[in-house]
Amino acid sequence: MSNSFGHLLRVTTFGESHGPAIGCVIDGCPPGLAISEDEFAQDLERRATGRSRHTSQRHETDAVEILSGVYEGCTTGTPIALLIRNTDARSKDYNKIAAQFRPAHADYTYWQKYGHRDPRGGGRSSARETTMRVAAAVIAKKWLAERYGVTVRGHLSQLGELRPDEHLGAFDWNAVEGNPFFWPIEAQVPALETYMDALRKSGDSVGARVTVVADGVPPGWGEPIYGKLDGDLAAAMMSINAVKGVEIGDGFASVAQKGSFHRDEMTRDGFLSNHAGGILGGISSGQQVVCSVAFKPTSSLRLPGRGLNVLGEEVEVVTTGRHDPCVGIRATPICEAMMALVLMDQALRHRAQCGDVGEVSPRIPATTDKDAKR
Amino acid sequence: MSNSFGHLLRVTTFGESHGPAIGCVIDGCPPGLAISEDEFAQDLERRATGRSRHTSQRHETDAVEILSGVYEGCTTGTPIALLIRNTDARSKDYNKIAAQFRPAHADYTYWQKYGHRDPRGGGRSSARETTMRVAAAVIAKKWLAERYGVTVRGHLSQLGELRPDEHLGAFDWNAVEGNPFFWPIEAQVPALETYMDALRKSGDSVGARVTVVADGVPPGWGEPIYGKLDGDLAAAMMSINAVKGVEIGDGFASVAQKGSFHRDEMTRDGFLSNHAGGILGGISSGQQVVCSVAFKPTSSLRLPGRGLNVLGEEVEVVTTGRHDPCVGIRATPICEAMMALVLMDQALRHRAQCGDVGEVSPRIPATTDKDAKR
Amino acid sequence: MSNSFGHLLRVTTFGESHGPAIGCVIDGCPPGLAISEDEFAQDLERRATGRSRHTSQRHETDAVEILSGVYEGCTTGTPIALLIRNTDARSKDYNKIAAQFRPAHADYTYWQKYGHRDPRGGGRSSARETTMRVAAAVIAKKWLAERYGVTVRGHLSQLGELRPDEHLGAFDWNAVEGNPFFWPIEAQVPALETYMDALRKSGDSVGARVTVVADGVPPGWGEPIYGKLDGDLAAAMMSINAVKGVEIGDGFASVAQKGSFHRDEMTRDGFLSNHAGGILGGISSGQQVVCSVAFKPTSSLRLPGRGLNVLGEEVEVVTTGRHDPCVGIRATPICEAMMALVLMDQALRHRAQCGDVGEVSPRIPATTDKDAKR
Amino acid sequence: MSNSFGHLLRVTTFGESHGPAIGCVIDGCPPGLAISEDEFAQDLERRATGRSRHTSQRHETDAVEILSGVYEGCTTGTPIALLIRNTDARSKDYNKIAAQFRPAHADYTYWQKYGHRDPRGGGRSSARETTMRVAAAVIAKKWLAERYGVTVRGHLSQLGELRPDEHLGAFDWNAVEGNPFFWPIEAQVPALETYMDALRKSGDSVGARVTVVADGVPPGWGEPIYGKLDGDLAAAMMSINAVKGVEIGDGFASVAQKGSFHRDEMTRDGFLSNHAGGILGGISSGQQVVCSVAFKPTSSLRLPGRGLNVLGEEVEVVTTGRHDPCVGIRATPICEAMMALVLMDQALRHRAQCGDVGEVSPRIPATTDKDAKR
């Protein structure tokens, strides 16, 4: 069951990085949603390796084939299966990789769990699996937009030590898609380029922080106690490779805040702030839903590190293949995908139980302007 | 389904803060575990309100009654139901509370979701629900200790702006249980007392950070991809009231780290560091499992705040009842509880699928000494 | 997880026959349903032991206490916990029972599974557990009736060799509640009395068949493939103690039928027959949903039988306590309960996925008259 | 979620009869099981259309491709995806079929549920879906045999009015695989041939009954209350297309039995009978597990029947395509498959909770000889 995600919109993924194919089955999608194979291209391209010189150079044409669940261009309510063949899995000798455990990889833990593993390109533990999350979320994003006017978008909010510097320019959602970093301040991009070039030259890697924001989420989504919207988001984000932390709204900054500052006061014209990140008691408040995610630095480095081999001998591990010096750079679409999947699942759960409740008064209007700058 | 937690060890809780009772059903516990009603007292007391002048003054004798699943002092494998009667639910007029929505509370979102709510003491959204998590985890902690030698313990790792100051003394697990803050540096406790006294006088509140550590977890627990050990921990912690962030190992600090620093190198004598927090690829590595949690400041304040009432009119909200100025202070046992429940669930899941794998070579020894100071 | 039933309306039961209490938690009930403690009395009384001289003589006042989830007489959307204290659990020495395994009981299999069991009154394997199914279904029946006009009712359709004899009188739903057998032909009841008196005198027992019918189910409920309405009904009925078979519509009679007979032809005025029992492809057709259930004869007999004790020695087993010579007699409310729970769960699942589909043309009118005589 | 089956061994299927492909994902299989693509051929052939003149004439080479989860010939513990391309989906005009609802088909109910459907060859409601159950169960059967020595096999136990006639010859498992009916009495096969020839000529269809038997199941599998082994079997069998009834052991015959006859007495040498079908209280007893299934007659007939079209007009429906006059004939491997999947899932669940219980005394030996003749 651990390869499935969601309750009513349930996504099951399969496939190894260098096996024959990767794919997913999306169960529970409402009927009547128009969808075609070419609609997957954009988000897959956003996530794709080979986007720029700052990400790894695997050039794979990730063409999605719809195997089921769509008839005459519309979803039928039956499971939607998506398939992508692995075409760029270079044939090479994996014996050496198979025989040793790289520090900070899942090599050792998969071995300890299963006593057996597919070592080719990381096998099942590869970030290649996240491709299917992005593909599945194309459907979720479209349904959320059409049915509820909900949009989900993300940006990089930290790269190593570099944070958005609003002295250089204003936060701008339009800038995000215009640079390879999903960075919201265009004037800062050259500095990021320089930073990454130096990093790549050094053979080292850094972490990153991604922030995802959903606009238009109505109040009421999310199920207390163990099905909270923020609980689901936390699980969703933490399930992405290399993630080490999740925050809702102000997150860890809340620790040092005073209650009189943190609490988002309510007026008839809207909330006066959004420290909560749009979720109270596990349920959406009608404000922007805001979630930030910490990615650790890539562990595959050209710099040698101490590891073990299957015989228990200490070995020096050097990774020579294609690897991103910062996996977080192209994680933005993946984080968006997980939020979209969570929101659609919660929307379905909400109307199952509370479909008769309808709109309740008073409903505080969303205050998008105030929330927009993150 | 949103009031149940876990897959093979499945805890379902029920009850409102000021309803007749709270309780839980624990399904899936292996048979043959000795357990008695008085074993619940210690952890419930650790979590209890009224522990010190720094927490709220509700004095409730939380006596656990075992309703089922235990025969002649041992679990039978059938569901274990635990019940606690609410005895200190002061009779008072809730009409005013019912009619207004306090800022940063779940009042407004419950109302929007259900169109109806139990306003007495926060109803279902009250932290009183967490009592049953602590009770259920008494069983999980005991089973983990007896069956695998696993121990789970936590401490406060930040209180407002105050962090552990190792100049004042060494980190000491023994100190944690000796002060009302679960603080690991005894010499710093007077400073915390002073800080809290000033805070309470001001009528304001602050957040806190709790860190939980599990020792003795064998390698192999956790199920990739969507059933990862860290994914389950993130969901578990985020489901606790007032939590806004979760970190595994170095968490958000990883963002600014270099890969050459972050990766935990492996030797035959153990890992050389534990930035990963004992989890790689969603599976335990055999190191200490480390998770930190951010609690927001209490939103119930004597300081007036802007809210709305059910008629949509703006009102000034002042909370006069018993409330902790820092809910995080007594959250340590709750965070421990959630980690214990996750670990036991994952242990059962692991032996279901991988019960025939057994111990695999090479197994890196745990390096408790190096990990211990957090 | 094996003590929970349903997906969106999820019922978790707990309790042993002679433990302190039995109870359940009902998760997922929509908010706003009026319910009070005294509404449980009728169905519990219908199921109760001690109804007549044909059922066992345990006189227990099964007073239901609502512990949570209801505020000011209405469900709130939070989990509804129901509790019944066991008051008639006679104190006696269970050592003898504990030491031996009765033929055709769960004694031996519980022992083999858990290595440990609560032998008092059958412990968890007792039909006492079904009390909570009936209690939970009071809520489901009420919601189905109020929200969709769906009614669920059942009757005994065979008692040992005795089948409804329409030569003696017409099938009459009104008769069902007027006799202790839930028998639909009033004139036949004296024959049943005589039959049961002779049976009881003989010390032996017989099986029974119960048929449950739901009126008013709209077309579209049920989820193919593994969430079919009939699949859920089969699981639900088979989970009742002593059940050995389940049929939908014509059931096993379909085996010898011709297709030209079995297929229910469709006209604008309705279906011309209902051999399918109101379900096609796992989805309700708008006809009556019909399900029949086979109960085995009670295995607890005064007539001695061959069993084993815990030492593996062969023993002669004689059951002297209170036991029904036909457990199926009072199973009708239990079967109704399970159908109501399945229907409500499926109704919620349907509106989650297909809430936007609405009513689709052409919709064949239900033909209640034609269906009514079963 | 309705396209997934099982809890710890979880099978998710997808695909329409005449879409691009059908497939499944098997999650939770233990690592280390040797499996290759050609091992699927035998059971798929047993189920295949075109086996004899008594089944429909679709000749499709159902070659299974393993897409994931197997490395170097062994399962790795990651999800196993299986794919079969649909190659014999004749291109034809489905407009007429799409526009009308055939009596006793899922056409009408899918339309009512989803407002939209894939009409090609029955779409998702086609029995083609069961191919993937058989494929998935190849893995379950192998694991059960290797790990526990459990075997699962089935036979046809009724064809229309024809029942096994032991006057003609003895029940013989070896005969079952030697004739196109899975019939256990070889001398009776010519009579079945004659019966079917006449039926086909008449344009009509009949139902059938299939019995499946598992040998070697140890005592203790199955989880009370809602996770009973028989409850799972009932759901599993009822989820197969055209099934209208399920029996465990003596099933509906139990209704007219006396308790003194039905109860399976226990001796040190074994049980003296097996009316229970190897399950007591939802848990296996160590005897043969026996389950029988009723299949309705095929509803697709050359004989005209009354139906409706999408405009609500009454139409005469005649089915001209390839259709089995008795779908039950080739259902035996499908029923075996569902039992194998249930057993493996329950085996994993049992060792999760009760892995420490081990073998408990006294264990009654299986009495295979006595059970064998069904």
Side-chain angles (χ1 to χ4, degrees):
Chain A
M1 56 190 164
S2 76
N3 294 279
S4 296
F5 178 78
H7 293 268
L8 296 188
L9 182 80
R10 190 155 178 84
V11 178
T12 301
T13 68
F14 62 85
E16 277 76 37
S17 174
H18 288 56
I22 57 173
C24 71
V25 184
I26 303 157
D27 201 0
C29 182
L33 182 74
I35 199 82
S36 66
E37 289 179 351
D38 51 10
E39 291 180 71
F40 296 93
Q42 187 185 354
D43 266 4
L44 290 184
E45 174 58 26
R46 290 173 74 223
R47 193 215 78 98
T49 60
R51 183 192 176 100
S52 77
R53 72 179 185 277
H54 307 296
T55 53
S56 80
Q57 300 302 312
R58 176 170 176 166
H59 288 281
E60 192 142 316
T61 311
D62 279 342
V64 169
E65 184 186 8
I66 300 176
L67 294 179
S68 67
V70 175
Y71 180 66
E72 293 184 340
C74 272
T75 60
T76 60
T78 61
I80 302 164
L82 305 178
L83 190 75
I84 297 177
R85 291 278 168 183
N86 289 326
T87 55
D88 188 32
R90 297 185 192 169
S91 126
K92 68 174 185 183
D93 183 6
Y94 286 97
N95 287 342
K96 189 185 164 193
I97 290 173
Q100 67 181 29
F101 306 112
R102 294 168 291 175
H105 273 82
D107 299 341
Y108 175 70
T109 54
Y110 268 66
W111 180 259
Q112 288 293 327
K113 183 174 191 69
Y114 298 116
H116 188 64
R117 71 193 173 92
D118 179 347
R120 300 167 300 167
R124 182 68 179 153
S125 73
S126 164
R128 177 116 182 97
E129 186 272 341
T130 60
T131 308
M132 297 320 301
R133 307 181 185 214
V134 173
V138 166
I139 291 171
K141 283 180 170 181
K142 188 167 185 187
W143 185 83
L144 286 166
E146 291 196 353
R147 181 65 182 77
Y148 290 100
V150 169
T151 57
V152 178
R153 49 191 176 168
H155 62 85
L156 203 67
S157 49
Q158 191 175 340
L159 175 65
E161 304 87 353
L162 303 182
R163 296 164 187 269
D165 183 348
E166 302 213 26
H167 297 294
L168 296 176
F171 179 107
D172 181 7
W173 276 113
N174 295 320
V176 169
E177 297 298 316
N179 66 75
F181 303 103
F182 299 96
W183 196 259
I185 297 175
E186 197 162 358
Q188 208 174 348
V189 171
L192 272 64
E193 301 263 8
T194 306
Y195 180 86
M196 286 303 297
D197 286 340
L199 180 71
R200 201 170 42 254
K201 204 166 295 175
S202 76
D204 216 332
S205 64
V206 287
R209 185 174 186 267
V210 170
T211 298
V212 191
V213 178
D215 280 277
V217 176
W221 290 5
E223 295 190 321
I225 299 292
Y226 303 106
K228 286 177 175 168
L229 179 53
D230 37 3
D232 278 11
L233 286 172
M237 298 304 171
M238 197 64 92
S239 77
I240 301 172
N241 299 43
V243 170
K244 304 305 288 183
V246 182
E247 296 182 315
I248 304 296
D250 285 1
F252 279 89
S254 311
V255 170
Q257 292 174 353
K258 290 289 193 303
S260 55
F261 171 83
H262 182 90
R263 61 175 170 182
D264 302 312
E265 293 180 298
M266 296 180 281
T267 73
R268 297 174 61 160
D269 304 323
F271 291 88
L272 296 181
S273 54
N274 188 12
H275 300 292
I279 304 174
L280 294 169
I283 303 172
S284 62
S285 66
Q287 291 196 280
Q288 285 189 325
V289 175
V290 183
C291 181
S292 297
V293 184
F295 286 83
K296 71 175 186 181
T298 321
S299 41
S300 296
L301 303 179
R302 280 189 287 117
L303 307 176
R306 298 175 68 175
L308 290 181
N309 66 16
V310 292
L311 303 175
E313 299 160 339
E314 302 194 356
V315 292
E316 192 186 77
V317 177
V318 175
T319 308
T320 52
R322 308 162 299 194
H323 289 282
D324 293 11
C326 176
V327 287
I329 289 180
R330 55 198 177 88
T332 294
I334 305 169
C335 294
E336 289 173 8
M338 295 315 291
M339 186 184 272
L341 292 172
V342 165
L343 287 173
M344 180 169 174
D345 186 49
Q346 287 281 7
L348 297 174
R349 288 152 73 178
H350 179 64
R351 79 177 182 188
Q353 186 182 18
C354 299
D356 295 325
V357 172
E359 195 164 318
V360 177
S361 175
R363 182 173 282 204
I364 303 173
T367 48
T368 312
D369 290 346
K370 212 168 279 100
D371 300 339
K373 202 196 298 175
R374 302 229 48 87
Chain B
M1 56 191 164
S2 77
N3 293 280
S4 296
F5 178 78
H7 293 267
L8 295 189
L9 183 79
R10 190 153 179 86
V11 178
T12 301
T13 68
F14 61 84
E16 277 77 37
S17 175
H18 288 56
I22 56 172
C24 72
V25 185
I26 303 158
D27 200 0
C29 182
L33 182 75
I35 200 82
S36 66
E37 290 179 352
D38 50 11
E39 291 180 69
F40 296 93
Q42 186 185 354
D43 266 3
L44 291 183
E45 173 58 27
R46 291 174 73 222
R47 192 214 79 98
T49 59
R51 182 191 178 101
S52 76
R53 74 179 185 277
H54 307 295
T55 53
S56 79
Q57 300 302 312
R58 178 169 174 165
H59 289 282
E60 192 141 314
T61 311
D62 280 342
V64 170
E65 183 186 9
I66 299 176
L67 294 179
S68 67
V70 176
Y71 180 66
E72 293 185 337
C74 272
T75 61
T76 61
T78 63
I80 303 164
L82 305 178
L83 190 76
I84 297 176
R85 291 279 169 184
N86 289 326
T87 55
D88 188 32
R90 296 184 191 170
S91 126
K92 69 173 184 183
D93 184 5
Y94 286 97
N95 289 342
K96 190 182 162 195
I97 289 175
Q100 66 181 29
F101 306 113
R102 295 166 291 174
H105 272 82
D107 299 343
Y108 175 71
T109 54
Y110 268 66
W111 180 259
Q112 287 293 328
K113 184 175 191 69
Y114 298 116
H116 187 66
R117 72 195 172 92
D118 180 347
R120 300 167 301 168
R124 181 69 179 153
S125 73
S126 164
R128 177 117 182 96
E129 185 271 342
T130 60
T131 309
M132 297 319 301
R133 307 180 185 214
V134 173
V138 166
I139 291 171
K141 283 179 171 181
K142 188 168 185 186
W143 185 83
L144 286 166
E146 290 196 354
R147 181 63 181 78
Y148 290 101
V150 169
T151 57
V152 178
R153 50 191 177 169
H155 62 85
L156 203 67
S157 49
Q158 191 175 340
L159 174 65
E161 304 88 350
L162 303 181
R163 297 164 187 268
D165 183 348
E166 302 213 26
H167 296 295
L168 296 176
F171 180 106
D172 179 9
W173 277 114
N174 294 320
V176 169
E177 297 298 316
N179 66 77
F181 302 103
F182 299 97
W183 197 258
I185 297 174
E186 197 161 1
Q188 206 174 348
V189 171
L192 272 64
E193 301 263 7
T194 307
Y195 180 86
M196 287 303 297
D197 287 340
L199 181 71
R200 199 168 44 254
K201 205 165 295 176
S202 74
D204 216 330
S205 63
V206 287
R209 185 174 186 267
V210 170
T211 298
V212 190
V213 178
D215 281 277
V217 176
W221 289 6
E223 294 191 320
I225 300 291
Y226 302 106
K228 285 177 175 170
L229 179 53
D230 36 4
D232 279 12
L233 286 171
M237 298 304 170
M238 197 64 92
S239 77
I240 301 171
N241 301 43
V243 170
K244 303 304 288 182
V246 182
E247 297 182 315
I248 303 297
D250 285 0
F252 279 88
S254 311
V255 170
Q257 291 173 355
K258 289 290 192 304
S260 56
F261 172 83
H262 182 90
R263 63 176 168 181
D264 302 312
E265 293 181 296
M266 295 181 280
T267 72
R268 296 175 61 161
D269 303 324
F271 291 87
L272 296 180
S273 55
N274 187 14
H275 300 292
I279 303 175
L280 294 169
I283 304 171
S284 61
S285 65
Q287 289 195 282
Q288 285 188 326
V289 175
V290 183
C291 181
S292 296
V293 184
F295 287 83
K296 70 175 185 181
T298 321
S299 41
S300 297
L301 303 179
R302 280 188 287 116
L303 307 176
R306 300 176 67 176
L308 291 180
N309 66 17
V310 292
L311 304 174
E313 300 160 340
E314 300 193 359
V315 293
E316 193 186 77
V317 177
V318 175
T319 308
T320 52
R322 307 161 302 193
H323 288 282
D324 293 11
C326 175
V327 286
I329 289 181
R330 54 199 177 86
T332 295
I334 305 168
C335 295
E336 289 173 7
M338 295 314 290
M339 186 183 273
L341 292 172
V342 165
L343 287 173
M344 182 168 172
D345 186 49
Q346 288 281 7
L348 296 175
R349 289 153 72 178
H350 179 64
R351 78 178 183 188
Q353 185 181 20
C354 300
D356 295 324
V357 172
E359 194 164 319
V360 177
S361 176
R363 182 172 282 204
I364 303 173
T367 47
T368 313
D369 290 344
K370 211 168 281 96
D371 300 336
K373 201 197 299 174
R374 303 226 48 87
Chain C
M1 55 191 165
S2 77
N3 293 280
S4 296
F5 179 78
H7 293 268
L8 296 189
L9 183 78
R10 191 156 177 84
V11 178
T12 301
T13 69
F14 62 84
E16 276 77 35
S17 174
H18 288 56
I22 57 171
C24 71
V25 184
I26 303 158
D27 199 1
C29 183
L33 182 75
I35 199 80
S36 66
E37 288 179 353
D38 50 11
E39 291 179 71
F40 296 93
Q42 187 185 353
D43 266 3
L44 290 183
E45 174 57 26
R46 290 175 74 224
R47 194 215 77 99
T49 61
R51 180 191 178 102
S52 79
R53 70 180 186 277
H54 307 294
T55 52
S56 78
Q57 300 303 311
R58 176 171 176 164
H59 289 280
E60 191 142 314
T61 311
D62 279 342
V64 169
E65 183 185 10
I66 299 176
L67 294 179
S68 66
V70 176
Y71 179 66
E72 293 185 340
C74 274
T75 60
T76 59
T78 62
I80 303 164
L82 306 177
L83 190 75
I84 297 176
R85 291 278 168 183
N86 289 325
T87 56
D88 189 31
R90 297 184 192 169
S91 126
K92 69 174 186 182
D93 183 6
Y94 287 98
N95 288 342
K96 190 183 161 194
I97 289 174
Q100 67 182 29
F101 306 113
R102 295 167 292 176
H105 272 81
D107 300 342
Y108 175 71
T109 54
Y110 268 67
W111 180 259
Q112 288 293 328
K113 184 174 191 69
Y114 299 115
H116 187 63
R117 70 194 173 92
D118 178 346
R120 300 167 301 168
R124 182 67 180 153
S125 73
S126 166
R128 178 119 182 93
E129 185 273 340
T130 61
T131 308
M132 297 320 302
R133 306 180 185 213
V134 173
V138 166
I139 290 170
K141 283 179 170 183
K142 189 168 186 186
W143 186 83
L144 286 166
E146 291 196 354
R147 181 63 182 77
Y148 290 100
V150 170
T151 57
V152 178
R153 48 191 177 169
H155 61 85
L156 203 66
S157 48
Q158 191 175 338
L159 175 65
E161 304 87 352
L162 304 181
R163 296 165 188 268
D165 183 348
E166 302 214 25
H167 297 293
L168 295 176
F171 180 107
D172 180 9
W173 276 113
N174 294 321
V176 170
E177 297 298 317
N179 66 75
F181 303 102
F182 299 97
W183 196 258
I185 296 175
E186 195 161 3
Q188 207 175 349
V189 170
L192 272 64
E193 302 263 9
T194 307
Y195 179 86
M196 287 303 296
D197 286 341
L199 181 70
R200 199 168 44 252
K201 206 166 296 173
S202 75
D204 217 330
S205 63
V206 288
R209 186 173 185 268
V210 170
T211 298
V212 190
V213 178
D215 280 278
V217 176
W221 291 5
E223 295 190 322
I225 302 292
Y226 303 105
K228 287 178 174 168
L229 179 53
D230 37 3
D232 278 12
L233 286 171
M237 299 303 171
M238 196 64 91
S239 76
I240 302 171
N241 301 45
V243 170
K244 304 304 289 183
V246 181
E247 296 182 315
I248 304 297
D250 286 0
F252 279 89
S254 312
V255 170
Q257 292 174 353
K258 290 289 191 303
S260 55
F261 172 84
H262 182 90
R263 61 175 170 181
D264 303 312
E265 293 181 296
M266 296 180 282
T267 73
R268 296 174 61 160
D269 303 323
F271 291 87
L272 297 180
S273 54
N274 187 12
H275 300 291
I279 304 174
L280 293 170
I283 303 171
S284 61
S285 66
Q287 291 196 279
Q288 286 189 325
V289 175
V290 183
C291 182
S292 297
V293 184
F295 287 84
K296 71 175 185 181
T298 321
S299 41
S300 297
L301 303 178
R302 280 189 287 114
L303 305 176
R306 300 176 67 177
L308 291 181
N309 65 18
V310 293
L311 303 174
E313 299 160 339
E314 300 193 357
V315 293
E316 193 186 75
V317 176
V318 175
T319 308
T320 52
R322 309 162 300 194
H323 289 282
D324 292 11
C326 176
V327 286
I329 290 181
R330 54 198 177 88
T332 294
I334 305 168
C335 294
E336 289 173 7
M338 295 314 291
M339 187 184 273
L341 292 172
V342 165
L343 287 172
M344 180 168 173
D345 186 48
Q346 288 282 5
L348 297 175
R349 287 151 72 179
H350 179 64
R351 78 176 183 189
Q353 187 182 16
C354 300
D356 296 324
V357 173
E359 194 165 317
V360 177
S361 176
R363 182 173 284 204
I364 302 173
T367 49
T368 313
D369 289 345
K370 211 169 282 93
D371 300 338
K373 202 197 299 175
R374 302 228 47 89
Chain D
M1 56 191 163
S2 77
N3 293 280
S4 296
F5 178 79
H7 293 267
L8 296 189
L9 184 78
R10 191 155 179 83
V11 178
T12 301
T13 68
F14 62 83
E16 277 77 36
S17 174
H18 288 56
I22 56 172
C24 71
V25 184
I26 304 158
D27 200 0
C29 182
L33 182 74
I35 199 81
S36 66
E37 288 178 354
D38 51 11
E39 290 180 70
F40 296 93
Q42 187 185 351
D43 267 4
L44 290 183
E45 174 58 27
R46 291 174 73 222
R47 193 214 79 98
T49 61
R51 182 194 178 99
S52 77
R53 71 179 186 277
H54 307 295
T55 52
S56 79
Q57 300 303 312
R58 176 168 176 167
H59 289 281
E60 192 142 314
T61 311
D62 279 344
V64 170
E65 184 185 9
I66 299 175
L67 294 179
S68 67
V70 175
Y71 180 66
E72 294 185 339
C74 273
T75 60
T76 60
T78 62
I80 302 165
L82 304 179
L83 190 75
I84 296 177
R85 291 278 166 183
N86 289 326
T87 55
D88 188 32
R90 298 185 192 168
S91 126
K92 69 173 184 182
D93 183 6
Y94 285 98
N95 287 343
K96 190 183 162 196
I97 291 174
Q100 68 181 30
F101 306 113
R102 295 167 291 176
H105 271 82
D107 299 342
Y108 175 71
T109 54
Y110 269 67
W111 180 259
Q112 288 293 328
K113 184 174 192 70
Y114 299 116
H116 186 65
R117 71 193 173 92
D118 179 347
R120 301 167 300 168
R124 182 68 179 152
S125 73
S126 165
R128 178 116 183 97
E129 185 271 342
T130 59
T131 308
M132 298 320 301
R133 307 179 186 215
V134 173
V138 166
I139 291 171
K141 282 179 170 181
K142 189 167 184 184
W143 186 82
L144 286 166
E146 290 196 353
R147 181 64 182 77
Y148 289 101
V150 169
T151 58
V152 178
R153 47 191 179 169
H155 62 85
L156 203 67
S157 49
Q158 192 175 339
L159 174 66
E161 306 88 350
L162 303 182
R163 296 165 188 268
D165 184 348
E166 302 214 25
H167 296 295
L168 295 177
F171 179 107
D172 179 9
W173 277 113
N174 294 321
V176 170
E177 297 298 317
N179 66 76
F181 302 103
F182 299 97
W183 197 258
I185 297 175
E186 196 162 1
Q188 209 175 346
V189 171
L192 273 64
E193 301 263 8
T194 306
Y195 180 85
M196 287 302 298
D197 287 339
L199 180 72
R200 199 169 44 251
K201 204 165 296 173
S202 75
D204 216 331
S205 64
V206 287
R209 185 173 186 267
V210 171
T211 298
V212 191
V213 178
D215 280 277
V217 176
W221 291 5
E223 294 191 322
I225 300 295
Y226 303 105
K228 285 177 176 170
L229 180 53
D230 36 5
D232 278 11
L233 286 172
M237 298 304 170
M238 197 64 91
S239 77
I240 301 171
N241 301 44
V243 169
K244 303 305 288 184
V246 182
E247 297 182 315
I248 304 297
D250 285 0
F252 279 88
S254 311
V255 170
Q257 291 174 355
K258 290 290 191 303
S260 56
F261 172 83
H262 182 91
R263 62 176 168 180
D264 302 311
E265 293 181 297
M266 295 180 282
T267 72
R268 297 175 58 160
D269 303 323
F271 290 88
L272 296 181
S273 55
N274 187 13
H275 300 291
I279 304 174
L280 293 169
I283 304 171
S284 62
S285 67
Q287 290 196 279
Q288 285 188 325
V289 175
V290 183
C291 181
S292 297
V293 184
F295 287 82
K296 71 174 184 181
T298 321
S299 41
S300 296
L301 302 179
R302 280 188 287 117
L303 306 176
R306 300 176 67 176
L308 291 180
N309 66 17
V310 292
L311 304 174
E313 298 160 342
E314 300 194 359
V315 292
E316 193 186 74
V317 177
V318 175
T319 308
T320 51
R322 305 160 303 190
H323 288 282
D324 292 10
C326 176
V327 287
I329 289 180
R330 53 197 178 88
T332 295
I334 305 168
C335 295
E336 289 172 7
M338 296 314 291
M339 186 182 272
L341 292 171
V342 165
L343 288 173
M344 182 168 171
D345 186 48
Q346 287 280 7
L348 297 175
R349 287 151 73 180
H350 179 63
R351 79 178 183 187
Q353 186 181 18
C354 300
D356 295 325
V357 172
E359 194 165 318
V360 177
S361 175
R363 182 172 283 204
I364 303 174
T367 48
T368 312
D369 289 344
K370 213 169 281 96
D371 300 338
K373 202 196 300 175
R374 301 226 48 87

